[in-house]
Amino acid sequence: MTTVTSMITMCSSSGLLSAILLGYCLHLLQLLSTCLAFSLVASVGTWMGAVSNWSIFIWCFCFLVTLVILIIEFCGLQSRFPFSWYNFLITYACYAALLCISASIVYPITYIWFFPRGRSQDHAIAATAFSCIASVAYASEVAWARTWVWLGVTTGYMVTVPGLLKGLETFVAGVIFAFVIDSHLYLHQPALVWCVAVYSICFLLAAAALLLNWCDCDNRLPIAFPTFLLGLTLLSVLLYTSALVLWPLYQFDEQFGGQPERSSCNDGLIYSVCTWDQQLAVAVLTAINLLIYVVDLVFLAHMVFSRTQDQLRSSQFPLLYKS
């Protein structure tokens, strides 16, 4: 309690007390909404199949991590971690928002329409509503973090456009992994194995960039961090372009052993995803992630070019740029 009181005393004079209180309120809203989401589903046993289990895992995971974060902040233990606590919070909020959004979309599409009218369907609808509230709460925390940057309290890579795009790239890759978890989708063709390797390589490159910044190791690189990111993103664009060509070609073209049209599922289970639907989902997500990488590449190229131009001008006219 003494730690919290000292924080309030320090921040009241600088006008940051309202921002801190807003952060606590957002954490409480996140806790409440995720707790109610998985409790409503678990209370009537309205989960079955991999998709529903994944949604339950998302809500439980977000609840537990947010609870731990709230306890750490209340006890003032942030400084005891060997990494940037602020970057960790923003990174987690971005991924939690994306995860809750995915659960809010996938769960009702897969389950609500198949439940008979009654208690089970009502609980599923209510769980979806609370999942949407959690998504808004986590997204609001990201916006709240940008306020901290605007106030000049701290800086963070994840609240910048390249940081948000890197987080989105890894999230989409994670969704792709969920669809290609069945090896029979790609092991029969070396070209499809290459596509899965592309998804893995690009995911690891983006995750490495986030970890470097998260651990404050970006300034230890032999080159500037934006230039490093530009090289990684350019490589990822080239790799994803090859995957965007090869995956649809070998999955949907009959000449390469693909299946151009969707056939009815043989298992007849409404809670499973057909193989053709999985193949189509991976193709669409590949195109989406490639678009994100291209936007990231353009933004980084503009950033590096602008910085290079400023350095050239400062070297040519040192008196004009001397502070």
Side-chain angles (χ1 to χ4, degrees):
M1 184 62 69
T2 305
T3 305
V4 177
T5 305
S6 60
M7 285 179 55
I8 294 176
T9 304
M10 285 192 318
C11 296
S12 57
S13 59
S14 58
L16 299 177
L17 177 59
S18 59
I20 292 179
L21 293 178
L22 178 60
Y24 282 118
C25 291
L26 287 175
H27 288 326
L28 291 175
L29 180 59
Q30 294 158 4
L31 279 177
L32 179 64
S33 55
T34 52
C35 178
L36 289 174
F38 71 76
S39 297
L40 284 168
V41 175
S43 63
V44 291
T46 55
W47 77 90
M48 55 192 73
V51 176
S52 184
N53 291 336
W54 174 244
S55 300
I56 290 286
F57 168 78
I58 288 175
W59 296 325
C60 293
F61 173 80
C62 292
F63 172 80
L64 292 175
V65 175
T66 304
L67 179 61
V68 172
I69 289 174
L70 192 60
I71 294 174
I72 291 174
E73 290 187 336
F74 188 80
C75 297
L77 303 176
Q78 302 94 314
S79 59
R80 300 191 179 184
F81 291 89
F83 51 80
S84 172
W85 179 257
Y86 175 78
N87 283 335
F88 166 74
L89 283 182
I90 303 307
T91 303
Y92 167 69
C94 291
Y95 282 112
L98 293 171
L99 287 172
C100 289
I101 289 173
S102 65
S104 303
I105 296 174
V106 174
Y107 183 78
I109 291 177
T110 310
Y111 292 94
I112 287 182
W113 307 113
F114 301 103
F115 285 129
R117 292 185 179 274
R119 186 165 174 257
S120 297
Q121 189 181 66
D122 293 340
H123 279 231
I125 293 174
T128 303
F130 283 112
S131 181
C132 293
I133 294 174
S135 304
V136 174
Y138 284 113
S140 300
E141 184 176 357
V142 178
W144 165 78
R146 295 184 68 89
T147 304
W148 281 80
V149 177
W150 178 74
L151 291 173
V153 177
T154 185
T155 57
Y157 173 67
M158 283 304 298
V159 295
T160 63
V161 174
L164 292 173
L165 290 174
K166 275 287 175 286
L168 190 58
E169 290 159 6
T170 56
F171 175 78
V172 176
V175 178
I176 292 177
F177 292 145
F179 282 106
V180 298
I181 193 172
D182 294 328
S183 59
H184 72 274
L185 288 178
Y186 56 88
L187 282 183
H188 61 285
Q189 286 287 357
L192 298 178
V193 175
W194 164 254
C195 293
V196 177
V198 165
Y199 304 142
S200 303
I201 293 171
C202 294
F203 173 82
L204 292 176
L205 292 177
L210 292 175
L211 287 176
L212 282 174
N213 185 269
W214 185 19
C215 300
D216 292 329
C217 298
D218 50 341
N219 55 355
R220 301 180 184 178
L221 297 173
I223 59 176
F225 190 59
T227 306
F228 173 75
L229 290 178
L230 180 63
L232 292 186
T233 307
L234 177 59
L235 177 61
S236 298
V237 167
L238 297 176
L239 291 175
Y240 257 88
T241 301
S242 67
L244 183 62
V245 174
L246 294 176
W247 184 270
L249 190 65
Y250 281 86
Q251 294 288 16
F252 305 118
D253 194 328
E254 289 182 335
Q255 296 181 356
F256 294 91
Q259 183 180 351
E261 296 182 359
R262 183 182 189 274
S263 59
S264 59
C265 294
N266 296 326
D267 48 24
L269 297 176
I270 61 175
Y271 302 112
S272 63
V273 182
C274 296
T275 299
W276 194 89
D277 295 338
Q278 293 177 347
Q279 296 168 349
L280 179 62
V282 172
V284 173
L285 290 170
T286 302
I288 292 174
N289 220 13
L290 176 59
L291 179 60
I292 298 172
Y293 274 109
V294 170
V295 174
D296 193 10
L297 180 66
V298 172
F299 193 90
L300 287 171
H302 175 72
M303 179 188 300
V304 173
F305 177 77
S306 300
R307 179 171 297 183
T308 304
Q309 289 293 103
D310 291 340
Q311 292 176 351
L312 290 175
R313 291 171 184 171
S314 62
S315 62
Q316 292 175 357
F317 306 99
L319 293 180
L320 295 177
Y321 287 84
K322 186 177 180 180
S323 55

